[in-house]
């Protein structure tokens, strides 16, 4: 029996999951709700090159089934890395990074029918025959080289009036040397012929110095701010600092290759392990399309280590033969320039149906100086991690001497949601103002979540699933 493998989170069946690659929600005629398709970069074994795996879940993003792989290295390639997934030409396009000994480029693979991608799954999950490669779409141009890590989203029909809708495609891609990368903005009418508009630049302080940072995995999505009603661009940028990933968001407006900053960089997640998030695109007819600017969904990798990290050091590798996990999907909204993240709908029911996942939600009143503490218990009833809300801060302590701590705003709700699923721990606090993701390894698995209040703190209501 697997103790550390989560049930509701995506992991590779075997091998090392390195990062999310792309996410697509599809309006399936055979399901009551959308089918979620998540593609991810992984290695079948430590000595094999990276490729794309694929998992799907009908009606909710928690009941995953493994599908055939989507893309594997071809002749001359040393690996295929993450990119983006969009609905195009009646099917699906995968924009992936092709890696050779001397170069990187952006290529496309296409499948005509999403419905066929999880049919007749091979025992070894070998590459699906439904995908065909269409070759390079961006390799060099306008003075830029080594294109990689593409993010592709629909472009605007009229950039001065976003309520008119979308037409064509927009791409963000990383270019240049690995130790001094640069983000480039491109556009295309058909998704295959791309024009580079220039390197991404900022008007206003983005909260970091682009020329001094190693920037990877850029993502962009759009949200309508609930306060002023305007549609803004949200940049997700991962900064490689001292061998670790720090992922931040910046809000504003992208015009050409120029980004007008509204909100400078803020952490997407304040836990130990979250990086390189991927956004979700949609097929026509998806239930989310009419209101897709009111909310978005993101997945992140539950890791903080940078490129070249040895994920086989995770306890689950030796014990169970897999490494790496993606976060639960987060429902993201924008309020006065701040991102709020909450679990995707349906999570309590999914936890109730799982064998060992645990969920606790508390509606609290926690004056500064008081506390509500939740202990994550292992199979013998001993704490393996402790979550403490002190009114103005929240802390996740894995009892290793390096707790993760986040400030809370005075106007944030004193509400806490904790999900433990195998070796994953995710905390949502302040009505979604703060999220904290950490990997934990309870001996024998998690047996429960023990909660207590201290001093003047009150728990007005609480809900449990899985206990």
């Amino acid at each position: 029996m697997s103790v550390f493998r989560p049930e509701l989170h995506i992991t590779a069946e075997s091998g090392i999951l390195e990062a999310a690659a792309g996410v697509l929600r599809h309006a399936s005629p055979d399901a009551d709700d959308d089918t979620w398709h998540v593609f991810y970069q992984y290695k079948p074994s430590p000595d094999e090159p990276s490729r794309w795996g694929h998992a799907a879940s009908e009606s909710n993003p928690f009941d995953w089934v493994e599908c055939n792989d989507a893309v594997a290295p071809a002749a001359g390639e040393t690996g295929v890395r993450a990119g983006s997934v969009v609905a195009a030409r009646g099917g699906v396009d995968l924009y992936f990074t092709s890696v050779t000994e001397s170069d990187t480029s952006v290529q496309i693979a296409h499948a005509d029918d999403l419905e066929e991608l999880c049919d007749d799954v091979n025992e070894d999950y070998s590459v699906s025959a439904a995908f065909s490669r269409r070759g390079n779409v961006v390799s060099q141009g306008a003075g830029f080289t080594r294109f990689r890590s593409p993010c592709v989203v629909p472009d605007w029909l009229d950039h001065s009036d976003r309520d008119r809708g979308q037409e064509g495609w927009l791409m963000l891609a990383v270019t240049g040397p690995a130790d001094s990368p640069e983000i480039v903005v491109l556009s295309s009418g058909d998704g295959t012929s791309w024009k580079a508009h220039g390197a991404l630049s900022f008007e206003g302080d983005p909260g970091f110095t682009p020329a001094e940072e190693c920037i990877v995995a850029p993502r962009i999505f759009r949200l309508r701010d609930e306060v002023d009603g305007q549609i803004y661009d949200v940049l997700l940028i991962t900064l490689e600092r001292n061998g670790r990933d720090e992922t931040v968001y910046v809000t504003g407006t992208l015009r050409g290759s120029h980004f007008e900053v509204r909100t400078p960089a803020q952490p997407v997640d304040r836990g130990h392990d979250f990086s390189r998030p991927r956004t979700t695109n949609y097929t026509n007819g998806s239930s989310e399309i009419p209101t897709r600017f009111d909310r978005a969904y993101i997945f992140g990798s539950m890791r903080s280590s940078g490129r070249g990290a040895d994920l086989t050091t995770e306890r689950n590798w030796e014990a169970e033969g897999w490494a790496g996990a993606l976060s639960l999907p987060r429902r993201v909204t924008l309020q006065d320039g701040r991102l709020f993240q909450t679990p995707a709908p349906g999570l309590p029911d999914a936890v109730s149906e799982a064998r060992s996942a645990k969920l606790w939600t508390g509606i609290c009143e926690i004056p500064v100086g008081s506390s509500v503490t939740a202990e994550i218990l292992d199979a013998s009833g001993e704490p393996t991690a402790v979550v403490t809300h002190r009114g103005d801060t929240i802390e996740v302590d894995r009892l290793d001497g390096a707790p993760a701590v986040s400030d809370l705003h005075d106007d944030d709700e004193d509400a806490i949601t904790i999900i433990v699923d195998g070796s994953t721990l995710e905390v949502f606090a302040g009505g979604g103002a703060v999220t904290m993701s950490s990997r934990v390894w309870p001996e024998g698995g998690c047996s429960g979540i023990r909660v207590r209040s201290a001093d003047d703190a009150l728990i007005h209501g609480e809900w449990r699933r899985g206990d």
Side-chain angles (χ1 to χ4, degrees):
M1 176 181 175
S2 176
V3 173
F4 299 133
R5 188 191 293 274
E7 298 175 69
L8 310 180
H9 294 66
I10 294 175
T11 62
E13 185 70 19
S14 62
I16 303 166
L17 192 157
E18 298 173 300
V23 186
L24 190 67
R25 286 186 65 170
H26 172 52
S28 173
D30 299 324
D32 295 333
D33 202 349
D34 292 353
T35 297
W36 296 70
H37 292 269
V38 174
F39 298 85
Y40 56 86
Q41 176 188 319
Y42 85 108
K43 291 182 177 181
S45 73
D47 298 327
E48 293 185 68
S50 300
R51 58 199 289 155
W52 276 35
H54 175 206
S57 180
E58 289 187 359
S59 301
N60 67 59
F62 308 110
D63 188 17
W64 300 101
V65 295
E66 200 74 18
C67 303
N68 291 322
D69 287 351
V71 186
E77 289 179 326
T78 59
V80 291
R81 296 179 184 163
S84 199
V85 181
V86 301
R89 294 183 290 279
V92 56
D93 279 347
L94 310 185
Y95 290 86
F96 62 93
T97 303
S98 169
V99 184
T100 66
E101 292 289 351
S102 60
D103 201 4
T104 62
S105 62
V106 175
Q107 297 197 12
I108 285 183
H110 179 80
D112 289 326
D113 189 352
L114 269 172
E115 298 293 329
E116 296 179 359
L117 297 185
C118 290
D119 293 342
D120 301 322
V121 176
N122 304 319
E123 186 174 337
D124 60 356
Y125 304 111
S126 55
V127 175
S128 171
F131 282 104
S132 60
R133 287 195 177 213
R134 302 294 175 91
N136 280 349
V137 291
V138 184
S139 56
Q140 59 182 343
F144 301 105
T145 60
R146 296 183 59 81
F147 282 82
R148 57 195 184 275
S149 194
C151 169
V152 178
V153 296
D155 204 355
W156 298 106
L157 180 65
D158 183 346
H159 283 262
S160 62
D161 184 1
R162 295 185 167 194
D163 285 316
R164 289 190 60 194
Q166 297 178 307
E167 184 176 78
W169 301 99
L170 175 76
M171 178 190 292
L172 300 184
V174 177
T175 65
D179 57 354
S180 58
E182 194 170 31
I183 299 175
V184 173
V185 181
L186 308 94
S187 65
S188 173
D190 59 7
T192 57
S193 299
W194 291 88
K195 175 186 177 182
H197 294 283
L200 180 68
S201 61
F202 294 92
E203 178 181 329
D205 180 12
F208 62 95
T209 306
E212 298 177 4
E213 298 281 4
C214 187
I215 301 173
V216 297
R219 302 288 111 177
I220 190 170
F221 62 104
R222 290 69 173 248
L223 284 173
R224 190 183 300 275
D225 195 294
E226 295 180 3
V227 176
D228 67 12
Q230 299 299 306
I231 299 172
Y232 292 95
D233 295 303
V234 181
L235 280 178
L236 302 176
I237 295 176
T238 298
L239 310 173
E240 292 187 326
R241 294 173 169 171
N242 301 316
R244 296 179 64 82
D245 286 350
E246 298 181 24
T247 300
V248 299
Y249 72 87
V250 182
T251 73
T253 303
L254 180 66
R255 304 183 192 280
S257 60
H258 195 62
F259 194 91
E260 300 168 3
V261 176
R262 182 191 185 206
T263 306
Q266 300 291 321
V268 175
D269 187 282
R270 297 175 186 266
H272 296 91
D273 299 300
F274 184 89
S275 71
R276 306 184 186 221
R278 292 297 187 266
T279 54
T280 301
N281 284 322
Y282 304 88
T283 63
N284 290 331
S286 166
S287 61
E288 287 290 322
I289 279 187
T291 56
R292 66 185 181 277
F293 299 130
D294 295 332
R295 55 188 176 267
Y297 292 87
I298 63 173
F299 291 74
S301 300
M302 290 196 69
R303 56 181 288 190
S304 60
S305 51
R307 286 175 293 175
D310 183 7
L311 296 187
T312 63
T313 58
E314 292 181 2
R315 291 187 59 189
N316 37 266
W317 175 258
E318 183 175 351
E320 300 174 4
W322 64 274
L326 301 186
S327 72
L328 292 171
R330 285 118 179 256
R331 183 182 185 271
V332 185
T333 57
L334 186 64
Q335 301 174 33
D336 200 22
R338 294 176 63 197
L339 287 190
F340 285 74
Q341 303 172 68
T342 57
L347 178 61
D349 289 342
V351 172
S352 295
E353 295 173 4
R355 294 184 302 276
S356 58
K358 306 285 188 291
L359 179 147
W360 178 83
T361 293
I363 304 300
C364 310
E365 183 178 339
I366 312 173
V368 175
S370 304
S371 64
V372 169
T373 299
E375 296 175 317
I376 312 307
L377 306 178
D378 65 16
S380 63
E382 293 298 318
T384 193
V386 180
V387 179
T388 306
H389 192 310
R390 296 186 175 90
D392 57 352
T393 64
I394 186 165
E395 174 185 280
V396 176
D397 188 352
R398 299 187 292 188
L399 310 180
D400 58 0
V405 182
S406 173
D407 291 334
L408 291 164
H409 293 266
D410 291 340
D411 54 353
D412 291 336
E413 300 174 8
D414 290 345
I416 317 167
T417 293
I418 298 171
I419 306 102
V420 185
D421 182 21
S423 56
T424 67
L425 166 63
E426 295 189 64
V427 179
F428 297 81
V434 171
T435 57
M436 306 180 78
S437 299
S438 300
R439 295 292 301 280
V440 296
W441 288 269
E443 292 291 344
C446 175
S447 63
I449 303 172
R450 184 168 60 202
V451 181
R452 65 180 185 273
S453 60
D455 300 311
D456 296 326
L458 297 174
I459 302 174
H460 294 297
E462 59 180 326
W463 296 265
R464 292 179 180 270
R465 297 290 187 274
D467 273 341

